[in-house]
Amino acid sequence: MREEAEAIAVRALGFVAADPELLPRFLAITGIEAQSIRRAASEPGFLAGVLQFILAHEPTLLRFAEDTGTPPAAVGKALRALPLGDDDHERSI
């Protein structure tokens, strides 16, 4: 499941990066600079953050699902399979 989750997150990152409206919003929310995305992508929790970004806005989630053929429920399932992707903020590091 972890490999599948990572594949979904990488597709989500590509989806965000290719969208001229989503990318600036993603960068602003995360505080990452465009030229730092590659380095940030190797950090634990980055891919989970991409999926959280997609999941936070239902129209974005539905557009991602339609564009990539990914069932919306698979995005939430993928998030929970990634490091730092659980919903338990009490126990998060």
Side-chain angles (χ1 to χ4, degrees), residues 8-67:
I8 290 171
V10 168
R11 280 197 304 272
L13 179 58
F15 174 79
V16 170
D19 188 297
E21 291 179 17
L22 288 180
L23 183 59
R25 197 169 92 215
F26 176 77
L27 295 175
I29 289 171
T30 61
I32 297 169
E33 295 181 15
Q35 63 270 27
S36 302
I37 286 181
R38 281 210 167 120
R39 186 176 63 238
S42 67
E43 296 293 320
F46 177 83
L47 291 177
V50 172
L51 294 182
Q52 288 169 338
F53 176 79
I54 294 285
L55 286 164
H57 187 243
E58 187 176 10
T60 300
L61 171 63
L62 296 177
R63 196 159 43 90
F64 169 72
E66 184 177 324
D67 287 1

Side-chain angles (χ1 to χ4, degrees), residues 73-84:
V75 179
K77 187 175 181 184
L79 172 61
R80 291 185 295 279
L82 292 173
L84 304 177

